[in-house]
Amino acid sequence: MYHDRMLAARGVAGWADTRLVEAIPVDRAPMEPKQDANASSGFLAPLGEWFDEDYDFTGPEGDAFADALLAQVEAIEVRKRARRQADVDNHQTFLRKLAANGFRAFRSYHPPLVAVQLAPHAYRGRAGWLNGVAMKRELELLREAGLVEINIGVWGEASTTYSVTPDFMIAAIRARLTGRNITHRLEPHRLVRLYRTNSDDGDLIAFEPDDQTRRWTEQIDAYNRFVAAQDVAMDLSSRDKARLLAQMNAGRREGIPRLKQPDLTNKSLFRQFNEGSFEAGGRLYGAWWINCPKEFRPMIRINGKPTVELDFSGCAVRMLYHEKGMAFEGDPYFLEALDACEREHDLRKSHFREGVKRLTQALINGCEGGSPERIRLTKEEAVRPYFKQSHVLEMIRAKHEPIAQSFQTGAWRWLQRADSDIALSVIHNLMEKGIVALPIHDSFIVAEGDKEALRLQMTVSYLDQFDHEPVIN
């Protein structure tokens, strides 16, 4: 590859952490205004991974590398007057973050592009140093120093992107940078988020912190600091890595760079509330393991140790019973008629279980007037041709008649609030014992040796919430 030949010619040792991808030719021309999308010569830059101000360098190698880049930029910068100290701090922070994003993209994505916004009011409500005007200015300095190349997007068509240059990567390799020198840390004010509807519209609501939100913020911030110091990785064979990347890339929108290795950098959690209320939702999101496909989660390692995952069985269904002071025994997704069909037609045991689970969730998560019988089930969830979805829904309502009045009432709002309260309690209390627990909504991953400590804490936290014992798998 071009990078390998280039580095060999300059006498630079190979990078042990990942293979180098082909370089994009460096264009040292000044940034041009956006081109007309209708012009025959218009360049539509590919979309990139969006710039994320929460990425930064860490460790002595990361700090030394960032300082060297800053010195390189300062050597070519011409200013009529010195910056104020506050501006110096913002300038240095901005350059570090741009470089960290570029290095992360180079390691994990192809093409290694970072998408940015240059409009004056871009990034409103984000970090004080972050805005479109400053983004353009700092990128131009990095370009003039030969550290990035920039592709100007077309308004309404494609984002402006940047990528690091061969010179940047040669310096990174000589500094012995690896993935461990990139960190992701959310600032405290971004750890509790309140959306007008949900995260899909991105419409955040500003709120005045109170004792409750401050406590959540302190707990999540402490956890993020704790887990940042731990090695949370995956033990993947070449075949498993290829399968995982294929699954992850299949879910990425067209035009977005493809993953060339799993990006396990983000270990920061945040809590998300919806519909403008702290009583709706509240689940923990953000960290990479939350989106890790279930079949690959057994390959997660915590500080090099094999892990085990425990979850609350039939969590939402049992919560509905327990909230009414009633116990529930057995499998909430077992239906006698479907079990008989499996035996009659020689189907595998629990052939219909995933479909029943999905339809039950549709009833719990739905609102009045919804049509759960019309939801699309995957091939693995299908109940046809043996049953109609509407027929299975009737059986679910009959089985759970004591709680059926809660179906299609938007019960998900308080159920997610309850399970997220439990999740925060579990990870926070285990953290205080020095145990790393990785939350995935109503399940948790710990090192095998911490399995029983996790089981006990899950039971205690659930009892505190509902005064009933949970069923834990």
Side-chain angles (χ1 to χ4, degrees), residues 55-110:
Y55 284 102
D56 199 354
F57 291 110
T58 188
E61 300 91 351
D63 289 338
F65 177 68
D67 289 343
L69 293 186
L70 289 169
Q72 191 169 339
V73 169
E74 289 172 1
I76 59 92
E77 185 180 17
V78 177
R79 293 187 60 82
K80 293 182 179 179
R81 57 183 180 182
R83 292 184 176 91
R84 297 176 301 172
Q85 186 56 51
D87 294 333
V88 169
D89 294 341
N90 290 342
H91 164 66
Q92 293 178 350
T93 297
F94 215 140
L95 288 183
R96 281 182 66 109
K97 304 281 190 174
L98 286 167
N101 274 264
F103 181 67
R104 168 181 173 254
F106 188 93
R107 292 189 69 252
S108 299
Y109 296 94
H110 183 72

Short mmCIF file of all heavy atoms in Angstrom, two decimals, residues 55-110:
data_model
loop_
_atom_site.label_atom_id
_atom_site.label_comp_id
_atom_site.label_asym_id
_atom_site.label_seq_id
_atom_site.Cartn_x
_atom_site.Cartn_y
_atom_site.Cartn_z
N TYR A 55 -13.52 13.43 22.14
CA TYR A 55 -12.30 12.66 21.93
C TYR A 55 -11.08 13.53 22.18
O TYR A 55 -11.05 14.71 21.83
CB TYR A 55 -12.24 12.08 20.51
CG TYR A 55 -13.15 10.89 20.33
CD1 TYR A 55 -14.37 11.02 19.69
CD2 TYR A 55 -12.78 9.64 20.81
CE1 TYR A 55 -15.22 9.94 19.54
CE2 TYR A 55 -13.62 8.55 20.67
CZ TYR A 55 -14.84 8.70 20.03
OH TYR A 55 -15.67 7.62 19.90
N ASP A 56 -10.06 12.92 22.78
CA ASP A 56 -8.82 13.66 23.08
C ASP A 56 -7.69 12.65 23.20
O ASP A 56 -7.91 11.44 23.25
CB ASP A 56 -8.98 14.45 24.38
CG ASP A 56 -7.96 15.57 24.53
OD1 ASP A 56 -7.04 15.67 23.68
OD2 ASP A 56 -8.06 16.34 25.50
N PHE A 57 -6.48 13.16 23.27
CA PHE A 57 -5.32 12.31 23.51
C PHE A 57 -5.17 12.09 25.01
O PHE A 57 -5.57 12.91 25.83
CB PHE A 57 -4.05 12.97 22.97
CG PHE A 57 -4.00 13.02 21.47
CD1 PHE A 57 -4.11 14.23 20.80
CD2 PHE A 57 -3.85 11.86 20.73
CE1 PHE A 57 -4.07 14.28 19.42
CE2 PHE A 57 -3.80 11.90 19.35
CZ PHE A 57 -3.91 13.11 18.68
N THR A 58 -4.56 10.96 25.36
CA THR A 58 -4.31 10.65 26.75
C THR A 58 -2.97 9.93 26.88
O THR A 58 -2.42 9.44 25.90
CB THR A 58 -5.44 9.76 27.33
OG1 THR A 58 -5.25 9.62 28.75
CG2 THR A 58 -5.45 8.38 26.70
N GLY A 59 -2.45 9.88 28.09
CA GLY A 59 -1.18 9.23 28.33
C GLY A 59 -0.01 10.12 27.96
O GLY A 59 -0.16 11.10 27.22
N PRO A 60 1.18 9.81 28.44
CA PRO A 60 2.35 10.64 28.14
C PRO A 60 2.65 10.71 26.65
O PRO A 60 3.04 11.78 26.15
CB PRO A 60 3.49 9.96 28.91
CG PRO A 60 2.99 8.59 29.24
CD PRO A 60 1.52 8.70 29.36
N GLU A 61 2.46 9.59 25.92
CA GLU A 61 2.71 9.62 24.47
C GLU A 61 1.72 10.55 23.78
O GLU A 61 2.09 11.32 22.89
CB GLU A 61 2.59 8.22 23.88
CG GLU A 61 3.56 7.21 24.45
CD GLU A 61 2.99 6.46 25.63
OE1 GLU A 61 1.90 6.86 26.12
OE2 GLU A 61 3.64 5.50 26.07
N GLY A 62 0.44 10.46 24.19
CA GLY A 62 -0.58 11.32 23.58
C GLY A 62 -0.34 12.79 23.84
O GLY A 62 -0.46 13.63 22.94
N ASP A 63 0.02 13.12 25.09
CA ASP A 63 0.27 14.52 25.42
C ASP A 63 1.50 15.06 24.69
O ASP A 63 1.50 16.19 24.20
CB ASP A 63 0.45 14.67 26.93
CG ASP A 63 -0.86 14.47 27.70
OD1 ASP A 63 -1.93 14.64 27.08
OD2 ASP A 63 -0.79 14.15 28.89
N ALA A 64 2.56 14.24 24.62
CA ALA A 64 3.78 14.68 23.93
C ALA A 64 3.51 14.89 22.45
O ALA A 64 4.00 15.87 21.84
CB ALA A 64 4.90 13.65 24.13
N PHE A 65 2.72 14.00 21.85
CA PHE A 65 2.39 14.13 20.44
C PHE A 65 1.57 15.39 20.20
O PHE A 65 1.84 16.16 19.27
CB PHE A 65 1.62 12.89 19.98
CG PHE A 65 1.17 12.97 18.55
CD1 PHE A 65 2.08 12.93 17.51
CD2 PHE A 65 -0.19 13.05 18.24
CE1 PHE A 65 1.65 12.99 16.19
CE2 PHE A 65 -0.62 13.11 16.93
CZ PHE A 65 0.30 13.08 15.90
N ALA A 66 0.57 15.64 21.04
CA ALA A 66 -0.26 16.84 20.89
C ALA A 66 0.58 18.10 21.04
O ALA A 66 0.41 19.07 20.28
CB ALA A 66 -1.39 16.83 21.92
N ASP A 67 1.51 18.12 21.99
CA ASP A 67 2.38 19.29 22.17
C ASP A 67 3.25 19.52 20.93
O ASP A 67 3.48 20.67 20.52
CB ASP A 67 3.27 19.11 23.41
CG ASP A 67 2.48 19.19 24.70
OD1 ASP A 67 1.34 19.71 24.67
OD2 ASP A 67 2.99 18.73 25.74
N ALA A 68 3.72 18.42 20.34
CA ALA A 68 4.56 18.55 19.14
C ALA A 68 3.76 19.12 17.97
O ALA A 68 4.26 19.96 17.20
CB ALA A 68 5.15 17.20 18.77
N LEU A 69 2.50 18.70 17.84
CA LEU A 69 1.65 19.25 16.77
C LEU A 69 1.39 20.73 17.00
O LEU A 69 1.42 21.53 16.04
CB LEU A 69 0.33 18.50 16.71
CG LEU A 69 0.35 17.03 16.28
CD1 LEU A 69 -1.07 16.50 16.15
CD2 LEU A 69 1.10 16.84 14.98
N LEU A 70 1.12 21.10 18.24
CA LEU A 70 0.89 22.51 18.54
C LEU A 70 2.12 23.35 18.19
O LEU A 70 1.99 24.44 17.61
CB LEU A 70 0.55 22.68 20.03
CG LEU A 70 -0.82 22.16 20.48
CD1 LEU A 70 -0.91 22.14 22.00
CD2 LEU A 70 -1.93 23.04 19.90
N ALA A 71 3.30 22.85 18.51
CA ALA A 71 4.53 23.57 18.19
C ALA A 71 4.70 23.70 16.68
O ALA A 71 5.15 24.74 16.17
CB ALA A 71 5.73 22.84 18.80
N GLN A 72 4.31 22.67 15.93
CA GLN A 72 4.43 22.70 14.47
C GLN A 72 3.49 23.75 13.88
O GLN A 72 3.84 24.46 12.94
CB GLN A 72 4.12 21.32 13.90
CG GLN A 72 4.46 21.16 12.43
CD GLN A 72 4.39 19.71 11.98
OE1 GLN A 72 4.46 18.80 12.81
NE2 GLN A 72 4.25 19.50 10.69
N VAL A 73 2.29 23.84 14.45
CA VAL A 73 1.33 24.84 13.97
C VAL A 73 1.82 26.25 14.33
O VAL A 73 1.76 27.17 13.50
CB VAL A 73 -0.06 24.58 14.58
CG1 VAL A 73 -1.00 25.76 14.33
CG2 VAL A 73 -0.67 23.30 14.00
N GLU A 74 2.29 26.42 15.54
CA GLU A 74 2.75 27.75 15.97
C GLU A 74 3.94 28.21 15.14
O GLU A 74 4.13 29.41 14.91
CB GLU A 74 3.12 27.71 17.45
CG GLU A 74 1.91 27.59 18.35
CD GLU A 74 2.27 27.35 19.81
OE1 GLU A 74 3.49 27.31 20.10
OE2 GLU A 74 1.35 27.19 20.63
N ALA A 75 4.73 27.27 14.63
CA ALA A 75 5.91 27.64 13.83
C ALA A 75 5.53 28.26 12.49
O ALA A 75 6.31 29.05 11.93
CB ALA A 75 6.78 26.40 13.60
N ILE A 76 4.36 27.93 11.97
CA ILE A 76 3.95 28.47 10.65
C ILE A 76 2.91 29.58 10.78
O ILE A 76 2.59 30.25 9.81
CB ILE A 76 3.43 27.35 9.74
CG1 ILE A 76 2.21 26.63 10.37
CG2 ILE A 76 4.52 26.35 9.44
CD1 ILE A 76 0.87 27.15 10.01
N GLU A 77 2.36 29.77 12.00
CA GLU A 77 1.29 30.75 12.16
C GLU A 77 1.85 32.17 12.23
O GLU A 77 2.83 32.43 12.92
CB GLU A 77 0.48 30.45 13.43
CG GLU A 77 -0.73 31.36 13.58
CD GLU A 77 -1.52 31.06 14.84
OE1 GLU A 77 -0.98 30.38 15.74
OE2 GLU A 77 -2.68 31.52 14.93
N VAL A 78 1.20 33.07 11.51
CA VAL A 78 1.58 34.48 11.54
C VAL A 78 0.44 35.26 12.17
O VAL A 78 -0.70 35.22 11.70
CB VAL A 78 1.85 35.02 10.11
CG1 VAL A 78 2.17 36.51 10.17
CG2 VAL A 78 2.99 34.25 9.46
N ARG A 79 0.72 35.97 13.27
CA ARG A 79 -0.31 36.74 13.96
C ARG A 79 0.18 38.17 14.18
O ARG A 79 1.37 38.41 14.42
CB ARG A 79 -0.63 36.12 15.32
CG ARG A 79 -1.30 34.75 15.23
CD ARG A 79 -1.74 34.30 16.62
NE ARG A 79 -2.70 35.22 17.22
CZ ARG A 79 -4.01 35.22 16.97
NH1 ARG A 79 -4.51 34.33 16.11
NH2 ARG A 79 -4.81 36.08 17.53
N LYS A 80 -0.77 39.10 14.11
CA LYS A 80 -0.42 40.50 14.34
C LYS A 80 -0.34 40.81 15.83
O LYS A 80 0.37 41.73 16.24
CB LYS A 80 -1.46 41.41 13.67
CG LYS A 80 -1.43 41.32 12.14
CD LYS A 80 -2.45 42.28 11.54
CE LYS A 80 -2.41 42.22 10.00
NZ LYS A 80 -3.41 43.13 9.39
N ARG A 81 -1.11 40.07 16.61
CA ARG A 81 -1.05 40.29 18.06
C ARG A 81 -1.24 38.95 18.77
O ARG A 81 -1.84 38.03 18.23
CB ARG A 81 -2.11 41.29 18.51
CG ARG A 81 -3.53 40.90 18.14
CD ARG A 81 -4.50 41.98 18.55
NE ARG A 81 -5.87 41.64 18.19
CZ ARG A 81 -6.92 42.45 18.42
NH1 ARG A 81 -6.72 43.62 18.98
NH2 ARG A 81 -8.13 42.06 18.08
N ALA A 82 -0.74 38.89 19.98
CA ALA A 82 -0.79 37.65 20.75
C ALA A 82 -2.22 37.36 21.21
O ALA A 82 -3.02 38.28 21.42
CB ALA A 82 0.13 37.74 21.95
N ARG A 83 -2.52 36.09 21.35
CA ARG A 83 -3.83 35.69 21.87
C ARG A 83 -3.92 35.96 23.37
O ARG A 83 -2.93 35.90 24.09
CB ARG A 83 -4.08 34.19 21.66
CG ARG A 83 -4.24 33.76 20.22
CD ARG A 83 -4.59 32.26 20.18
NE ARG A 83 -4.84 31.80 18.83
CZ ARG A 83 -3.92 31.30 18.02
NH1 ARG A 83 -2.65 31.23 18.43
NH2 ARG A 83 -4.24 30.90 16.81
N ARG A 84 -5.14 36.24 23.82
CA ARG A 84 -5.38 36.27 25.26
C ARG A 84 -5.26 34.85 25.79
O ARG A 84 -5.40 33.89 25.05
CB ARG A 84 -6.78 36.83 25.55
CG ARG A 84 -6.99 38.27 25.11
CD ARG A 84 -8.43 38.67 25.35
NE ARG A 84 -9.34 37.80 24.59
CZ ARG A 84 -10.66 37.81 24.71
NH1 ARG A 84 -11.23 38.63 25.59
NH2 ARG A 84 -11.41 37.00 23.98
N GLN A 85 -5.05 34.71 27.10
CA GLN A 85 -4.84 33.38 27.66
C GLN A 85 -6.04 32.47 27.41
O GLN A 85 -5.88 31.28 27.10
CB GLN A 85 -4.56 33.47 29.17
CG GLN A 85 -4.19 32.13 29.79
CD GLN A 85 -2.99 31.49 29.11
OE1 GLN A 85 -1.96 32.12 28.93
NE2 GLN A 85 -3.12 30.21 28.74
N ALA A 86 -7.25 33.02 27.54
CA ALA A 86 -8.45 32.21 27.30
C ALA A 86 -8.47 31.71 25.86
O ALA A 86 -8.84 30.56 25.59
CB ALA A 86 -9.70 33.01 27.61
N ASP A 87 -8.06 32.57 24.93
CA ASP A 87 -8.03 32.18 23.52
C ASP A 87 -6.93 31.15 23.26
O ASP A 87 -7.08 30.27 22.41
CB ASP A 87 -7.83 33.41 22.63
CG ASP A 87 -9.01 34.36 22.68
OD1 ASP A 87 -10.13 33.88 22.96
OD2 ASP A 87 -8.82 35.57 22.47
N VAL A 88 -5.81 31.29 23.97
CA VAL A 88 -4.73 30.30 23.86
C VAL A 88 -5.25 28.92 24.27
O VAL A 88 -5.02 27.91 23.59
CB VAL A 88 -3.52 30.70 24.72
CG1 VAL A 88 -2.52 29.55 24.81
CG2 VAL A 88 -2.84 31.94 24.15
N ASP A 89 -5.95 28.88 25.40
CA ASP A 89 -6.49 27.61 25.90
C ASP A 89 -7.47 27.00 24.91
O ASP A 89 -7.43 25.79 24.63
CB ASP A 89 -7.18 27.82 27.24
CG ASP A 89 -6.21 28.24 28.35
OD1 ASP A 89 -4.99 28.00 28.17
OD2 ASP A 89 -6.67 28.79 29.36
N ASN A 90 -8.36 27.83 24.35
CA ASN A 90 -9.34 27.34 23.38
C ASN A 90 -8.65 26.83 22.11
O ASN A 90 -9.02 25.78 21.57
CB ASN A 90 -10.34 28.44 23.01
CG ASN A 90 -11.27 28.77 24.15
OD1 ASN A 90 -11.42 27.98 25.09
ND2 ASN A 90 -11.90 29.93 24.09
N HIS A 91 -7.67 27.58 21.65
CA HIS A 91 -6.92 27.20 20.45
C HIS A 91 -6.23 25.85 20.65
O HIS A 91 -6.31 24.95 19.80
CB HIS A 91 -5.89 28.29 20.15
CG HIS A 91 -4.80 27.91 19.21
ND1 HIS A 91 -5.02 27.63 17.87
CD2 HIS A 91 -3.45 27.76 19.43
CE1 HIS A 91 -3.86 27.33 17.31
NE2 HIS A 91 -2.90 27.39 18.22
N GLN A 92 -5.57 25.67 21.77
CA GLN A 92 -4.86 24.42 22.04
C GLN A 92 -5.83 23.25 22.18
O GLN A 92 -5.58 22.15 21.68
CB GLN A 92 -4.01 24.57 23.30
CG GLN A 92 -2.86 25.55 23.12
CD GLN A 92 -2.04 25.73 24.37
OE1 GLN A 92 -2.43 25.26 25.46
NE2 GLN A 92 -0.90 26.40 24.27
N THR A 93 -6.96 23.49 22.86
CA THR A 93 -7.97 22.45 23.01
C THR A 93 -8.51 22.03 21.66
O THR A 93 -8.64 20.83 21.36
CB THR A 93 -9.12 22.95 23.91
OG1 THR A 93 -8.62 23.21 25.22
CG2 THR A 93 -10.23 21.91 24.00
N PHE A 94 -8.82 23.01 20.83
CA PHE A 94 -9.41 22.74 19.52
C PHE A 94 -8.46 21.89 18.67
O PHE A 94 -8.85 20.89 18.06
CB PHE A 94 -9.73 24.05 18.80
CG PHE A 94 -10.98 23.98 17.95
CD1 PHE A 94 -11.86 25.05 17.91
CD2 PHE A 94 -11.27 22.87 17.18
CE1 PHE A 94 -13.01 25.00 17.13
CE2 PHE A 94 -12.41 22.82 16.40
CZ PHE A 94 -13.28 23.88 16.38
N LEU A 95 -7.19 22.28 18.62
CA LEU A 95 -6.23 21.54 17.80
C LEU A 95 -6.05 20.11 18.31
O LEU A 95 -5.94 19.17 17.51
CB LEU A 95 -4.89 22.27 17.78
CG LEU A 95 -4.83 23.57 16.97
CD1 LEU A 95 -3.42 24.13 16.97
CD2 LEU A 95 -5.31 23.37 15.54
N ARG A 96 -6.01 19.93 19.62
CA ARG A 96 -5.91 18.57 20.19
C ARG A 96 -7.10 17.72 19.76
O ARG A 96 -6.93 16.56 19.36
CB ARG A 96 -5.87 18.63 21.72
CG ARG A 96 -4.55 18.99 22.33
CD ARG A 96 -4.66 18.95 23.85
NE ARG A 96 -4.89 17.59 24.35
CZ ARG A 96 -3.98 16.88 25.00
NH1 ARG A 96 -2.78 17.39 25.23
NH2 ARG A 96 -4.27 15.67 25.43
N LYS A 97 -8.29 18.28 19.85
CA LYS A 97 -9.50 17.52 19.53
C LYS A 97 -9.56 17.19 18.04
O LYS A 97 -9.95 16.07 17.66
CB LYS A 97 -10.73 18.32 19.94
CG LYS A 97 -10.78 18.75 21.39
CD LYS A 97 -11.20 17.62 22.30
CE LYS A 97 -11.47 18.12 23.71
NZ LYS A 97 -12.01 17.08 24.59
N LEU A 98 -9.19 18.13 17.20
CA LEU A 98 -9.18 17.86 15.75
C LEU A 98 -8.18 16.75 15.43
O LEU A 98 -8.47 15.84 14.64
CB LEU A 98 -8.82 19.13 14.99
CG LEU A 98 -9.91 20.20 14.90
CD1 LEU A 98 -9.33 21.52 14.40
CD2 LEU A 98 -11.05 19.75 13.98
N ALA A 99 -7.00 16.82 16.04
CA ALA A 99 -5.98 15.80 15.79
C ALA A 99 -6.43 14.44 16.31
O ALA A 99 -6.23 13.41 15.66
CB ALA A 99 -4.67 16.22 16.43
N ALA A 100 -7.05 14.41 17.49
CA ALA A 100 -7.50 13.14 18.07
C ALA A 100 -8.58 12.51 17.21
O ALA A 100 -8.58 11.29 16.98
CB ALA A 100 -8.01 13.37 19.50
N ASN A 101 -9.52 13.32 16.70
CA ASN A 101 -10.55 12.79 15.82
C ASN A 101 -9.95 12.24 14.52
O ASN A 101 -10.37 11.20 14.02
CB ASN A 101 -11.58 13.87 15.51
CG ASN A 101 -12.68 13.97 16.54
OD1 ASN A 101 -13.76 13.40 16.38
ND2 ASN A 101 -12.41 14.71 17.61
N GLY A 102 -8.97 12.97 13.99
CA GLY A 102 -8.32 12.51 12.77
C GLY A 102 -7.57 11.21 12.95
O GLY A 102 -7.62 10.31 12.10
N PHE A 103 -6.87 11.08 14.08
CA PHE A 103 -6.12 9.86 14.38
C PHE A 103 -7.07 8.68 14.57
O PHE A 103 -6.84 7.58 14.07
CB PHE A 103 -5.28 10.07 15.63
CG PHE A 103 -4.44 8.88 16.01
CD1 PHE A 103 -3.38 8.47 15.21
CD2 PHE A 103 -4.70 8.18 17.18
CE1 PHE A 103 -2.61 7.37 15.56
CE2 PHE A 103 -3.93 7.08 17.54
CZ PHE A 103 -2.88 6.67 16.73
N ARG A 104 -8.17 8.91 15.29
CA ARG A 104 -9.18 7.85 15.48
C ARG A 104 -9.75 7.40 14.15
O ARG A 104 -9.90 6.19 13.91
CB ARG A 104 -10.30 8.38 16.38
CG ARG A 104 -11.54 7.50 16.42
CD ARG A 104 -12.62 8.09 17.31
NE ARG A 104 -13.84 7.34 17.22
CZ ARG A 104 -14.93 7.75 16.57
NH1 ARG A 104 -14.93 8.94 15.97
NH2 ARG A 104 -16.02 7.01 16.53
N ALA A 105 -10.08 8.34 13.27
CA ALA A 105 -10.63 7.98 11.97
C ALA A 105 -9.63 7.17 11.16
O ALA A 105 -9.99 6.21 10.48
CB ALA A 105 -11.04 9.25 11.21
N PHE A 106 -8.35 7.55 11.23
CA PHE A 106 -7.32 6.82 10.48
C PHE A 106 -7.21 5.38 10.95
O PHE A 106 -7.04 4.46 10.16
CB PHE A 106 -5.96 7.52 10.63
CG PHE A 106 -4.90 6.95 9.74
CD1 PHE A 106 -4.66 7.51 8.49
CD2 PHE A 106 -4.15 5.85 10.12
CE1 PHE A 106 -3.68 6.97 7.65
CE2 PHE A 106 -3.19 5.31 9.30
CZ PHE A 106 -2.95 5.87 8.05
N ARG A 107 -7.32 5.18 12.26
CA ARG A 107 -7.20 3.83 12.81
C ARG A 107 -8.38 2.94 12.44
O ARG A 107 -8.20 1.75 12.18
CB ARG A 107 -7.12 3.88 14.34
CG ARG A 107 -5.86 4.49 14.90
CD ARG A 107 -5.80 4.28 16.41
NE ARG A 107 -5.60 2.87 16.73
CZ ARG A 107 -6.53 2.08 17.23
NH1 ARG A 107 -7.75 2.52 17.44
NH2 ARG A 107 -6.25 0.82 17.49
N SER A 108 -9.59 3.49 12.45
CA SER A 108 -10.78 2.64 12.43
C SER A 108 -11.64 2.73 11.19
O SER A 108 -12.48 1.84 10.99
CB SER A 108 -11.65 2.96 13.66
OG SER A 108 -10.95 2.70 14.86
N TYR A 109 -11.49 3.76 10.35
CA TYR A 109 -12.45 3.96 9.26
C TYR A 109 -11.77 4.08 7.90
O TYR A 109 -10.64 4.53 7.79
CB TYR A 109 -13.29 5.22 9.53
CG TYR A 109 -14.13 5.10 10.77
CD1 TYR A 109 -13.66 5.58 12.00
CD2 TYR A 109 -15.37 4.48 10.74
CE1 TYR A 109 -14.42 5.44 13.16
CE2 TYR A 109 -16.13 4.34 11.89
CZ TYR A 109 -15.65 4.82 13.09
OH TYR A 109 -16.39 4.68 14.23
N HIS A 110 -12.49 3.67 6.88
CA HIS A 110 -12.02 3.83 5.50
C HIS A 110 -13.20 4.29 4.63
O HIS A 110 -14.22 3.62 4.58
CB HIS A 110 -11.46 2.53 4.95
CG HIS A 110 -10.90 2.70 3.56
ND1 HIS A 110 -9.73 3.38 3.32
CD2 HIS A 110 -11.37 2.31 2.36
CE1 HIS A 110 -9.50 3.39 2.02
NE2 HIS A 110 -10.48 2.75 1.42
#
